[in-house]
Amino acid sequence: MYVYNNNHQIYRLDGKSIDLVSNGTDGVLFLGNPAHEKFTYRENVTGVFAELIIQPINFTAGDRVNLDSEEQIAIFQIWVFTLFFESLQPTKPIQFFFGEKGSGKTTSQQILGQWLFGSSFDVITIQADKEDSFVTAITNNYFVAFDNLDSPVKWMQDRLAQVATGQKIQMRQLYTTNTEVVYFPKCFVSLAAREPKFKRDDVVDRLLLFRVNRIEDGDFIRLGILRDQVLSRRDDLWSEMLDQLNLIVTGFRQVPDRSVGVFRMADFADLGWKIAKIIGGDKGAEIFIELLGKMKQDQSDFLIEGNLVVELIDLWLDDDDNFGREVKTSVLYSELKEVAESNKITLGFRSVSGFGMHLRQILDDLRRHYGIEERKIKRVWNYTFRVHR
């Protein structure tokens, strides 16, 4: 493994030692960014990363969440390790902090980026008319944090899907009539929002969703101090991380690859399983697979949270006669419209076809909550709801 020190040199990790060599050694050349600040490796540093990066994040705990705070921490730590294995992840999950105002989402993004790159790093606020700026950010940076994604932006979900899957981005070159430029994003992305508008199923399937709680008023001062501590102790943070990565490099020679197969983002799942096994043995690998299953359920819950169709289905199922009753898409659409009208709600679909298409898009998630059975009769889908969520 090779890690750039932001000062024309590379830390080379071979599983036994950590050597500082010139940029370009072994044919590995990093293109530096003058705004990024250098760091220096020191031996035998421990405990700093948990103290300054992990513990300040106010992960949600309690019985009403799929992943408790300790489980979210476990996945988050694995995700941080995977940031250093870009070449093994053609597809990349999108890390997402989801919580109310005052939950420290922005600070969590800032301290992560400032550890990696120094004081110049900051979060980015997306503007609806600045699609070019978004493309510039994800194609020129290794890690980008977008904050306050609470307003609808028509192009954003397509771009998020592209950066997660590594698809090429084609755009017209500025100030030209017919010249096309092509970009291949290799960027890790962090998002933060209170009321996210990126709830398309193929985007949600690629989220690592971390729910965070509001921070007590007295702790906001501590967060301000935390940023200064992260910057003043970057060498310690980097030193501890490089030691951990060197152990992982050693383990890579000993642990065979495995296809996990329980998560949409297979590259992350397979790599994360391997890292979890290196760090925590067979038990660690087993727990990681369980956590991916819980994360998948959390994605499903997130997708249907606030979904108007789901809310109307809940009201429709208040009538016990609708349980176990097989209904055509058109009948379900008609009856949900009646429920919407009686509750002074606008359904938002002008036709059965539009409603049916949306239903098919979220069907996997609806199955988990309603035990839906489906069958197709003469090109018409029929649905039976077996349980109430």
Side-chain angles (χ1 to χ4, degrees):
M1 172 179 283
Y2 302 85
V3 180
Y4 189 50
N5 78 337
N6 298 325
N7 191 36
H8 312 296
Q9 293 175 301
I10 302 170
Y11 284 107
R12 181 174 57 190
L13 289 61
D14 64 2
K16 298 178 181 179
S17 62
I18 299 176
D19 301 316
L20 186 62
V21 298
S22 298
N23 192 15
T25 297
D26 300 336
V28 177
L29 180 70
F30 287 85
L31 301 179
N33 184 327
H36 295 169
E37 298 168 6
K38 71 175 183 177
F39 60 88
T40 302
Y41 169 73
R42 295 195 288 261
E43 294 182 353
N44 301 319
V45 178
T46 60
V48 182
F49 194 83
E51 176 190 350
L52 297 183
I53 303 296
I54 303 297
Q55 293 174 4
I57 303 174
N58 197 26
F59 292 107
T60 301
D63 296 332
R64 299 183 64 184
V65 294
N66 291 302
L67 291 147
D68 64 29
S69 57
E70 293 301 318
E71 291 172 332
Q72 291 189 77
I73 287 172
I75 293 183
F76 185 79
Q77 288 179 315
I78 292 292
W79 172 75
V80 172
F81 286 133
T82 65
L83 294 177
F84 297 90
F85 295 88
E86 190 280 329
S87 62
L88 299 181
Q89 297 182 91
T91 62
K92 301 173 182 63
I94 298 172
Q95 182 267 316
F96 170 41
F97 287 122
F98 177 36
E100 61 182 305
K101 180 180 179 181
S103 53
K105 302 183 298 296
T106 303
T107 299
S108 297
Q109 291 179 306
Q110 286 175 331
I111 61 175
L112 187 63
Q114 289 179 350
W115 155 55
L116 290 170
F117 305 114
S119 59
S120 65
F121 180 88
D122 204 352
V123 300
I124 299 172
T125 299
I126 289 180
Q127 300 180 43
D129 60 344
K130 298 293 185 180
E131 183 178 3
D132 290 349
S133 297
F134 180 89
V135 172
T136 299
I138 63 174
T139 54
N140 285 277
N141 292 281
Y142 194 83
F143 172 78
V144 182
F146 296 104
D147 194 24
N148 295 324
L149 273 70
D150 298 297
S151 300
V153 178
K154 64 179 182 179
W155 49 262
M156 184 175 61
Q157 302 206 79
D158 288 335
R159 294 306 187 196
L160 289 176
Q162 284 178 310
V163 73
T165 56
Q167 295 177 13
K168 66 180 179 181
I169 296 176
Q170 298 170 282
M171 299 186 71
R172 180 178 63 84
Q173 184 174 338
L174 290 177
Y175 312 118
T176 65
T177 302
N178 195 35
T179 302
E180 185 178 74
V181 290
V182 178
Y183 305 100
F184 292 90
K186 295 185 177 182
C187 180
F188 291 92
V189 172
S190 172
L191 308 178
R194 289 177 293 165
E195 299 178 356
K197 301 300 186 292
F198 43 91
K199 284 203 171 187
R200 204 170 71 190
D201 59 329
D202 62 326
V203 174
V204 173
D205 281 347
R206 293 173 169 88
L207 295 180
L208 288 181
L209 201 163
F210 300 100
R211 298 176 184 266
V212 289
N213 281 339
R214 181 175 174 80
I215 295 171
E216 298 297 328
D217 292 342
D219 289 333
F220 282 109
I221 296 176
R222 183 177 60 83
L223 288 180
I225 297 173
L226 178 64
R227 296 188 190 97
D228 295 335
Q229 291 177 326
V230 167
L231 290 172
S232 65
R233 302 194 68 182
R234 284 185 70 235
D235 288 348
D236 290 339
L237 288 165
W238 269 108
S239 298
E240 183 178 358
M241 178 55 65
L242 291 182
D243 282 336
Q244 290 292 314
L245 291 172
N246 212 23
L247 291 174
I248 294 172
V249 170
T250 301
F252 258 64
R253 301 191 181 98
Q254 303 165 352
V255 177
D257 294 335
R258 173 183 168 179
S259 178
V260 174
V262 297
F263 203 61
R264 177 74 176 266
M265 299 304 292
D267 293 327
F268 168 78
D270 295 349
L271 175 60
W273 174 86
K274 196 167 186 176
I275 293 173
K277 187 174 177 65
I278 292 168
I279 296 173
D282 292 341
K283 185 62 175 179
E286 180 183 334
I287 290 174
F288 181 71
I289 293 178
E290 293 176 0
L291 296 185
L292 287 184
K294 290 187 175 183
M295 179 63 76
K296 190 173 182 180
Q297 180 62 48
D298 208 27
Q299 291 173 337
S300 176
D301 291 347
F302 172 74
L303 184 65
I304 67 172
E305 284 176 15
N307 186 298
L308 185 58
V309 170
V310 174
E311 293 179 9
L312 291 173
I313 289 174
D314 283 341
L315 293 171
W316 180 74
L317 287 174
D318 285 341
D319 182 346
D320 292 339
D321 291 339
N322 289 326
F323 282 101
R325 170 187 165 217
E326 187 176 57
V327 291
K328 296 179 181 180
T329 304
S330 59
V331 173
L332 182 61
Y333 173 67
S334 176
E335 293 185 5
L336 289 184
K337 279 185 66 177
E338 292 178 6
V339 172
E341 289 171 1
S342 63
N343 287 274
K344 298 181 180 180
I345 299 172
T346 302
L347 180 56
F349 296 96
R350 297 181 179 179
S351 66
V352 175
S353 60
F355 168 77
M357 184 179 299
H358 178 71
L359 206 64
R360 300 300 300 176
Q361 288 174 344
I362 64 173
L363 188 60
D364 284 343
D365 304 284
L366 293 178
R367 284 195 194 100
R368 297 188 185 101
H369 294 275
Y370 298 109
I372 290 179
E373 296 174 1
E374 57 180 309
R375 64 175 181 148
K376 198 172 187 179
I377 304 175
K378 295 182 180 180
R379 301 175 64 184
V380 175
W381 285 104
N382 293 317
Y383 300 101
T384 303
F385 292 77
R386 295 296 183 187
V387 298
H388 201 309
R389 73 187 181 108

PDB file of all heavy atoms in Angstrom, residues 100-131:
ATOM      1  N   GLU A 100     -31.383  15.376  12.674  1.00  0.00           N
ATOM      2  CA  GLU A 100     -31.974  16.699  12.796  1.00  0.00           C
ATOM      3  C   GLU A 100     -30.902  17.777  12.928  1.00  0.00           C
ATOM      4  O   GLU A 100     -29.708  17.494  13.100  1.00  0.00           O
ATOM      5  CB  GLU A 100     -32.913  16.740  14.007  1.00  0.00           C
ATOM      6  CG  GLU A 100     -32.213  16.466  15.339  1.00  0.00           C
ATOM      7  CD  GLU A 100     -33.179  16.464  16.499  1.00  0.00           C
ATOM      8  OE1 GLU A 100     -33.902  17.461  16.667  1.00  0.00           O
ATOM      9  OE2 GLU A 100     -33.212  15.463  17.234  1.00  0.00           O
ATOM     10  N   LYS A 101     -31.351  19.038  12.861  1.00  0.00           N
ATOM     11  CA  LYS A 101     -30.449  20.161  13.037  1.00  0.00           C
ATOM     12  C   LYS A 101     -29.784  20.073  14.408  1.00  0.00           C
ATOM     13  O   LYS A 101     -30.420  19.762  15.408  1.00  0.00           O
ATOM     14  CB  LYS A 101     -31.231  21.474  12.925  1.00  0.00           C
ATOM     15  CG  LYS A 101     -30.387  22.721  13.083  1.00  0.00           C
ATOM     16  CD  LYS A 101     -31.248  23.969  12.968  1.00  0.00           C
ATOM     17  CE  LYS A 101     -30.406  25.227  13.162  1.00  0.00           C
ATOM     18  NZ  LYS A 101     -31.232  26.463  13.076  1.00  0.00           N
ATOM     19  N   GLY A 102     -28.470  20.336  14.433  1.00  0.00           N
ATOM     20  CA  GLY A 102     -27.758  20.317  15.698  1.00  0.00           C
ATOM     21  C   GLY A 102     -27.240  18.952  16.107  1.00  0.00           C
ATOM     22  O   GLY A 102     -26.868  18.748  17.256  1.00  0.00           O
ATOM     23  N   SER A 103     -27.196  18.021  15.147  1.00  0.00           N
ATOM     24  CA  SER A 103     -26.714  16.679  15.475  1.00  0.00           C
ATOM     25  C   SER A 103     -25.240  16.484  15.123  1.00  0.00           C
ATOM     26  O   SER A 103     -24.726  15.374  15.207  1.00  0.00           O
ATOM     27  CB  SER A 103     -27.566  15.622  14.770  1.00  0.00           C
ATOM     28  OG  SER A 103     -27.657  15.864  13.381  1.00  0.00           O
ATOM     29  N   GLY A 104     -24.568  17.560  14.723  1.00  0.00           N
ATOM     30  CA  GLY A 104     -23.128  17.483  14.482  1.00  0.00           C
ATOM     31  C   GLY A 104     -22.741  16.871  13.155  1.00  0.00           C
ATOM     32  O   GLY A 104     -21.596  16.444  12.973  1.00  0.00           O
ATOM     33  N   LYS A 105     -23.679  16.839  12.211  1.00  0.00           N
ATOM     34  CA  LYS A 105     -23.398  16.222  10.903  1.00  0.00           C
ATOM     35  C   LYS A 105     -22.254  16.934  10.195  1.00  0.00           C
ATOM     36  O   LYS A 105     -21.312  16.299   9.698  1.00  0.00           O
ATOM     37  CB  LYS A 105     -24.660  16.251  10.028  1.00  0.00           C
ATOM     38  CG  LYS A 105     -25.863  15.554  10.634  1.00  0.00           C
ATOM     39  CD  LYS A 105     -27.055  15.557   9.692  1.00  0.00           C
ATOM     40  CE  LYS A 105     -27.570  16.949   9.353  1.00  0.00           C
ATOM     41  NZ  LYS A 105     -28.097  17.668  10.530  1.00  0.00           N
ATOM     42  N   THR A 106     -22.340  18.256  10.132  1.00  0.00           N
ATOM     43  CA  THR A 106     -21.321  19.029   9.429  1.00  0.00           C
ATOM     44  C   THR A 106     -19.959  18.880  10.093  1.00  0.00           C
ATOM     45  O   THR A 106     -18.939  18.674   9.419  1.00  0.00           O
ATOM     46  CB  THR A 106     -21.716  20.519   9.391  1.00  0.00           C
ATOM     47  OG1 THR A 106     -22.999  20.662   8.772  1.00  0.00           O
ATOM     48  CG2 THR A 106     -20.687  21.333   8.612  1.00  0.00           C
ATOM     49  N   THR A 107     -19.931  18.956  11.416  1.00  0.00           N
ATOM     50  CA  THR A 107     -18.662  18.823  12.137  1.00  0.00           C
ATOM     51  C   THR A 107     -18.047  17.454  11.907  1.00  0.00           C
ATOM     52  O   THR A 107     -16.830  17.330  11.729  1.00  0.00           O
ATOM     53  CB  THR A 107     -18.883  19.053  13.640  1.00  0.00           C
ATOM     54  OG1 THR A 107     -19.389  20.371  13.849  1.00  0.00           O
ATOM     55  CG2 THR A 107     -17.574  18.894  14.409  1.00  0.00           C
ATOM     56  N   SER A 108     -18.878  16.415  11.901  1.00  0.00           N
ATOM     57  CA  SER A 108     -18.362  15.063  11.670  1.00  0.00           C
ATOM     58  C   SER A 108     -17.699  14.964  10.299  1.00  0.00           C
ATOM     59  O   SER A 108     -16.652  14.321  10.138  1.00  0.00           O
ATOM     60  CB  SER A 108     -19.497  14.043  11.787  1.00  0.00           C
ATOM     61  OG  SER A 108     -20.036  14.041  13.092  1.00  0.00           O
ATOM     62  N   GLN A 109     -18.317  15.598   9.298  1.00  0.00           N
ATOM     63  CA  GLN A 109     -17.715  15.599   7.961  1.00  0.00           C
ATOM     64  C   GLN A 109     -16.421  16.405   7.949  1.00  0.00           C
ATOM     65  O   GLN A 109     -15.424  16.007   7.332  1.00  0.00           O
ATOM     66  CB  GLN A 109     -18.702  16.196   6.947  1.00  0.00           C
ATOM     67  CG  GLN A 109     -19.914  15.335   6.679  1.00  0.00           C
ATOM     68  CD  GLN A 109     -20.854  16.004   5.696  1.00  0.00           C
ATOM     69  OE1 GLN A 109     -21.279  17.146   5.896  1.00  0.00           O
ATOM     70  NE2 GLN A 109     -21.180  15.319   4.621  1.00  0.00           N
ATOM     71  N   GLN A 110     -16.444  17.560   8.622  1.00  0.00           N
ATOM     72  CA  GLN A 110     -15.269  18.435   8.621  1.00  0.00           C
ATOM     73  C   GLN A 110     -14.059  17.781   9.276  1.00  0.00           C
ATOM     74  O   GLN A 110     -12.949  17.834   8.735  1.00  0.00           O
ATOM     75  CB  GLN A 110     -15.595  19.751   9.324  1.00  0.00           C
ATOM     76  CG  GLN A 110     -16.472  20.688   8.513  1.00  0.00           C
ATOM     77  CD  GLN A 110     -16.862  21.926   9.302  1.00  0.00           C
ATOM     78  OE1 GLN A 110     -16.964  21.897  10.531  1.00  0.00           O
ATOM     79  NE2 GLN A 110     -17.086  23.024   8.600  1.00  0.00           N
ATOM     80  N   ILE A 111     -14.265  17.159  10.438  1.00  0.00           N
ATOM     81  CA  ILE A 111     -13.111  16.607  11.143  1.00  0.00           C
ATOM     82  C   ILE A 111     -12.515  15.433  10.376  1.00  0.00           C
ATOM     83  O   ILE A 111     -11.288  15.221  10.396  1.00  0.00           O
ATOM     84  CB  ILE A 111     -13.452  16.198  12.590  1.00  0.00           C
ATOM     85  CG1 ILE A 111     -14.526  15.113  12.644  1.00  0.00           C
ATOM     86  CG2 ILE A 111     -13.883  17.416  13.393  1.00  0.00           C
ATOM     87  CD1 ILE A 111     -14.806  14.607  14.046  1.00  0.00           C
ATOM     88  N   LEU A 112     -13.347  14.692   9.674  1.00  0.00           N
ATOM     89  CA  LEU A 112     -12.834  13.596   8.865  1.00  0.00           C
ATOM     90  C   LEU A 112     -11.973  14.133   7.726  1.00  0.00           C
ATOM     91  O   LEU A 112     -10.861  13.658   7.486  1.00  0.00           O
ATOM     92  CB  LEU A 112     -13.997  12.770   8.319  1.00  0.00           C
ATOM     93  CG  LEU A 112     -13.632  11.473   7.582  1.00  0.00           C
ATOM     94  CD1 LEU A 112     -12.939  10.493   8.514  1.00  0.00           C
ATOM     95  CD2 LEU A 112     -14.888  10.834   6.981  1.00  0.00           C
ATOM     96  N   GLY A 113     -12.488  15.144   7.025  1.00  0.00           N
ATOM     97  CA  GLY A 113     -11.737  15.720   5.914  1.00  0.00           C
ATOM     98  C   GLY A 113     -10.499  16.475   6.361  1.00  0.00           C
ATOM     99  O   GLY A 113      -9.462  16.436   5.686  1.00  0.00           O
ATOM    100  N   GLN A 114     -10.573  17.154   7.512  1.00  0.00           N
ATOM    101  CA  GLN A 114      -9.413  17.909   7.984  1.00  0.00           C
ATOM    102  C   GLN A 114      -8.319  16.981   8.498  1.00  0.00           C
ATOM    103  O   GLN A 114      -7.140  17.305   8.413  1.00  0.00           O
ATOM    104  CB  GLN A 114      -9.845  18.917   9.037  1.00  0.00           C
ATOM    105  CG  GLN A 114     -10.655  20.059   8.438  1.00  0.00           C
ATOM    106  CD  GLN A 114     -11.135  21.072   9.457  1.00  0.00           C
ATOM    107  OE1 GLN A 114     -11.029  20.859  10.660  1.00  0.00           O
ATOM    108  NE2 GLN A 114     -11.686  22.186   8.975  1.00  0.00           N
ATOM    109  N   TRP A 115      -8.710  15.823   9.031  1.00  0.00           N
ATOM    110  CA  TRP A 115      -7.686  14.829   9.349  1.00  0.00           C
ATOM    111  C   TRP A 115      -6.983  14.383   8.067  1.00  0.00           C
ATOM    112  O   TRP A 115      -5.750  14.318   8.003  1.00  0.00           O
ATOM    113  CB  TRP A 115      -8.317  13.629  10.055  1.00  0.00           C
ATOM    114  CG  TRP A 115      -7.501  12.372   9.883  1.00  0.00           C
ATOM    115  CD1 TRP A 115      -6.179  12.215  10.190  1.00  0.00           C
ATOM    116  CD2 TRP A 115      -7.936  11.132   9.323  1.00  0.00           C
ATOM    117  NE1 TRP A 115      -5.767  10.936   9.853  1.00  0.00           N
ATOM    118  CE2 TRP A 115      -6.824  10.249   9.334  1.00  0.00           C
ATOM    119  CE3 TRP A 115      -9.158  10.674   8.845  1.00  0.00           C
ATOM    120  CZ2 TRP A 115      -6.913   8.939   8.853  1.00  0.00           C
ATOM    121  CZ3 TRP A 115      -9.249   9.364   8.388  1.00  0.00           C
ATOM    122  CH2 TRP A 115      -8.123   8.526   8.388  1.00  0.00           C
ATOM    123  N   LEU A 116      -7.739  14.100   7.030  1.00  0.00           N
ATOM    124  CA  LEU A 116      -7.158  13.588   5.796  1.00  0.00           C
ATOM    125  C   LEU A 116      -6.314  14.629   5.074  1.00  0.00           C
ATOM    126  O   LEU A 116      -5.219  14.322   4.581  1.00  0.00           O
ATOM    127  CB  LEU A 116      -8.262  13.095   4.858  1.00  0.00           C
ATOM    128  CG  LEU A 116      -9.018  11.824   5.273  1.00  0.00           C
ATOM    129  CD1 LEU A 116     -10.233  11.613   4.385  1.00  0.00           C
ATOM    130  CD2 LEU A 116      -8.093  10.615   5.218  1.00  0.00           C
ATOM    131  N   PHE A 117      -6.773  15.888   5.015  1.00  0.00           N
ATOM    132  CA  PHE A 117      -6.168  16.858   4.106  1.00  0.00           C
ATOM    133  C   PHE A 117      -5.694  18.142   4.759  1.00  0.00           C
ATOM    134  O   PHE A 117      -4.986  18.926   4.131  1.00  0.00           O
ATOM    135  CB  PHE A 117      -7.157  17.209   2.987  1.00  0.00           C
ATOM    136  CG  PHE A 117      -7.662  16.006   2.244  1.00  0.00           C
ATOM    137  CD1 PHE A 117      -8.992  15.642   2.308  1.00  0.00           C
ATOM    138  CD2 PHE A 117      -6.794  15.229   1.500  1.00  0.00           C
ATOM    139  CE1 PHE A 117      -9.455  14.527   1.636  1.00  0.00           C
ATOM    140  CE2 PHE A 117      -7.245  14.109   0.819  1.00  0.00           C
ATOM    141  CZ  PHE A 117      -8.580  13.755   0.887  1.00  0.00           C
ATOM    142  N   GLY A 118      -6.095  18.416   6.004  1.00  0.00           N
ATOM    143  CA  GLY A 118      -5.637  19.618   6.663  1.00  0.00           C
ATOM    144  C   GLY A 118      -6.694  20.690   6.766  1.00  0.00           C
ATOM    145  O   GLY A 118      -7.873  20.490   6.443  1.00  0.00           O
ATOM    146  N   SER A 119      -6.289  21.865   7.190  1.00  0.00           N
ATOM    147  CA  SER A 119      -7.214  22.941   7.554  1.00  0.00           C
ATOM    148  C   SER A 119      -7.997  23.507   6.381  1.00  0.00           C
ATOM    149  O   SER A 119      -9.022  24.161   6.575  1.00  0.00           O
ATOM    150  CB  SER A 119      -6.443  24.071   8.240  1.00  0.00           C
ATOM    151  OG  SER A 119      -5.427  24.575   7.385  1.00  0.00           O
ATOM    152  N   SER A 120      -7.525  23.313   5.153  1.00  0.00           N
ATOM    153  CA  SER A 120      -8.222  23.885   3.999  1.00  0.00           C
ATOM    154  C   SER A 120      -9.497  23.125   3.646  1.00  0.00           C
ATOM    155  O   SER A 120     -10.342  23.637   2.902  1.00  0.00           O
ATOM    156  CB  SER A 120      -7.296  23.899   2.775  1.00  0.00           C
ATOM    157  OG  SER A 120      -6.977  22.570   2.381  1.00  0.00           O
ATOM    158  N   PHE A 121      -9.648  21.909   4.166  1.00  0.00           N
ATOM    159  CA  PHE A 121     -10.823  21.112   3.806  1.00  0.00           C
ATOM    160  C   PHE A 121     -12.084  21.710   4.416  1.00  0.00           C
ATOM    161  O   PHE A 121     -12.102  22.120   5.572  1.00  0.00           O
ATOM    162  CB  PHE A 121     -10.680  19.673   4.290  1.00  0.00           C
ATOM    163  CG  PHE A 121     -11.870  18.810   3.949  1.00  0.00           C
ATOM    164  CD1 PHE A 121     -11.925  18.151   2.743  1.00  0.00           C
ATOM    165  CD2 PHE A 121     -12.946  18.703   4.827  1.00  0.00           C
ATOM    166  CE1 PHE A 121     -13.031  17.371   2.413  1.00  0.00           C
ATOM    167  CE2 PHE A 121     -14.050  17.926   4.498  1.00  0.00           C
ATOM    168  CZ  PHE A 121     -14.086  17.253   3.297  1.00  0.00           C
ATOM    169  N   ASP A 122     -13.160  21.712   3.634  1.00  0.00           N
ATOM    170  CA  ASP A 122     -14.455  22.141   4.152  1.00  0.00           C
ATOM    171  C   ASP A 122     -15.545  21.416   3.384  1.00  0.00           C
ATOM    172  O   ASP A 122     -15.319  20.875   2.289  1.00  0.00           O
ATOM    173  CB  ASP A 122     -14.637  23.647   4.018  1.00  0.00           C
ATOM    174  CG  ASP A 122     -15.645  24.200   5.035  1.00  0.00           C
ATOM    175  OD1 ASP A 122     -16.303  23.382   5.725  1.00  0.00           O
ATOM    176  OD2 ASP A 122     -15.776  25.430   5.140  1.00  0.00           O
ATOM    177  N   VAL A 123     -16.736  21.410   3.956  1.00  0.00           N
ATOM    178  CA  VAL A 123     -17.877  20.789   3.298  1.00  0.00           C
ATOM    179  C   VAL A 123     -18.362  21.698   2.176  1.00  0.00           C
ATOM    180  O   VAL A 123     -18.059  22.898   2.135  1.00  0.00           O
ATOM    181  CB  VAL A 123     -19.005  20.509   4.297  1.00  0.00           C
ATOM    182  CG1 VAL A 123     -18.530  19.573   5.402  1.00  0.00           C
ATOM    183  CG2 VAL A 123     -19.544  21.815   4.889  1.00  0.00           C
ATOM    184  N   ILE A 124     -19.135  21.118   1.273  1.00  0.00           N
ATOM    185  CA  ILE A 124     -19.655  21.840   0.114  1.00  0.00           C
ATOM    186  C   ILE A 124     -21.176  21.822   0.173  1.00  0.00           C
ATOM    187  O   ILE A 124     -21.786  20.791   0.470  1.00  0.00           O
ATOM    188  CB  ILE A 124     -19.186  21.182  -1.200  1.00  0.00           C
ATOM    189  CG1 ILE A 124     -17.654  21.208  -1.298  1.00  0.00           C
ATOM    190  CG2 ILE A 124     -19.809  21.870  -2.410  1.00  0.00           C
ATOM    191  CD1 ILE A 124     -17.103  20.421  -2.472  1.00  0.00           C
ATOM    192  N   THR A 125     -21.777  22.960  -0.102  1.00  0.00           N
ATOM    193  CA  THR A 125     -23.231  23.052  -0.209  1.00  0.00           C
ATOM    194  C   THR A 125     -23.615  23.036  -1.676  1.00  0.00           C
ATOM    195  O   THR A 125     -23.118  23.855  -2.465  1.00  0.00           O
ATOM    196  CB  THR A 125     -23.765  24.331   0.455  1.00  0.00           C
ATOM    197  OG1 THR A 125     -23.423  24.317   1.843  1.00  0.00           O
ATOM    198  CG2 THR A 125     -25.283  24.409   0.320  1.00  0.00           C
ATOM    199  N   ILE A 126     -24.471  22.110  -2.052  1.00  0.00           N
ATOM    200  CA  ILE A 126     -24.872  21.967  -3.450  1.00  0.00           C
ATOM    201  C   ILE A 126     -25.883  23.041  -3.823  1.00  0.00           C
ATOM    202  O   ILE A 126     -26.818  23.317  -3.079  1.00  0.00           O
ATOM    203  CB  ILE A 126     -25.481  20.574  -3.695  1.00  0.00           C
ATOM    204  CG1 ILE A 126     -24.381  19.503  -3.634  1.00  0.00           C
ATOM    205  CG2 ILE A 126     -26.191  20.510  -5.045  1.00  0.00           C
ATOM    206  CD1 ILE A 126     -24.892  18.104  -3.864  1.00  0.00           C
ATOM    207  N   GLN A 127     -25.693  23.631  -4.997  1.00  0.00           N
ATOM    208  CA  GLN A 127     -26.635  24.596  -5.546  1.00  0.00           C
ATOM    209  C   GLN A 127     -27.263  24.005  -6.804  1.00  0.00           C
ATOM    210  O   GLN A 127     -26.575  23.407  -7.634  1.00  0.00           O
ATOM    211  CB  GLN A 127     -25.919  25.903  -5.892  1.00  0.00           C
ATOM    212  CG  GLN A 127     -25.261  26.563  -4.687  1.00  0.00           C
ATOM    213  CD  GLN A 127     -24.567  27.853  -5.050  1.00  0.00           C
ATOM    214  OE1 GLN A 127     -25.094  28.665  -5.809  1.00  0.00           O
ATOM    215  NE2 GLN A 127     -23.377  28.053  -4.506  1.00  0.00           N
ATOM    216  N   ALA A 128     -28.574  24.174  -6.931  1.00  0.00           N
ATOM    217  CA  ALA A 128     -29.318  23.524  -8.007  1.00  0.00           C
ATOM    218  C   ALA A 128     -28.810  23.891  -9.390  1.00  0.00           C
ATOM    219  O   ALA A 128     -28.893  23.091 -10.326  1.00  0.00           O
ATOM    220  CB  ALA A 128     -30.802  23.863  -7.883  1.00  0.00           C
ATOM    221  N   ASP A 129     -28.283  25.107  -9.539  1.00  0.00           N
ATOM    222  CA  ASP A 129     -27.823  25.553 -10.857  1.00  0.00           C
ATOM    223  C   ASP A 129     -26.318  25.371 -11.041  1.00  0.00           C
ATOM    224  O   ASP A 129     -25.727  25.944 -11.959  1.00  0.00           O
ATOM    225  CB  ASP A 129     -28.193  27.024 -11.075  1.00  0.00           C
ATOM    226  CG  ASP A 129     -27.558  27.944 -10.034  1.00  0.00           C
ATOM    227  OD1 ASP A 129     -27.095  27.427  -8.995  1.00  0.00           O
ATOM    228  OD2 ASP A 129     -27.535  29.174 -10.263  1.00  0.00           O
ATOM    229  N   LYS A 130     -25.689  24.572 -10.178  1.00  0.00           N
ATOM    230  CA  LYS A 130     -24.237  24.406 -10.235  1.00  0.00           C
ATOM    231  C   LYS A 130     -23.855  22.936 -10.449  1.00  0.00           C
ATOM    232  O   LYS A 130     -22.992  22.389  -9.762  1.00  0.00           O
ATOM    233  CB  LYS A 130     -23.590  24.929  -8.946  1.00  0.00           C
ATOM    234  CG  LYS A 130     -23.799  26.417  -8.694  1.00  0.00           C
ATOM    235  CD  LYS A 130     -23.071  27.265  -9.724  1.00  0.00           C
ATOM    236  CE  LYS A 130     -23.202  28.750  -9.387  1.00  0.00           C
ATOM    237  NZ  LYS A 130     -22.509  29.611 -10.378  1.00  0.00           N
ATOM    238  N   GLU A 131     -24.484  22.311 -11.430  1.00  0.00           N
ATOM    239  CA  GLU A 131     -24.159  20.918 -11.708  1.00  0.00           C
ATOM    240  C   GLU A 131     -22.694  20.757 -12.109  1.00  0.00           C
ATOM    241  O   GLU A 131     -22.039  19.790 -11.720  1.00  0.00           O
ATOM    242  CB  GLU A 131     -25.072  20.376 -12.815  1.00  0.00           C
ATOM    243  CG  GLU A 131     -24.858  18.904 -13.116  1.00  0.00           C
ATOM    244  CD  GLU A 131     -25.811  18.378 -14.172  1.00  0.00           C
ATOM    245  OE1 GLU A 131     -26.606  19.182 -14.724  1.00  0.00           O
ATOM    246  OE2 GLU A 131     -25.768  17.168 -14.456  1.00  0.00           O
TER     247      GLU A 131
END
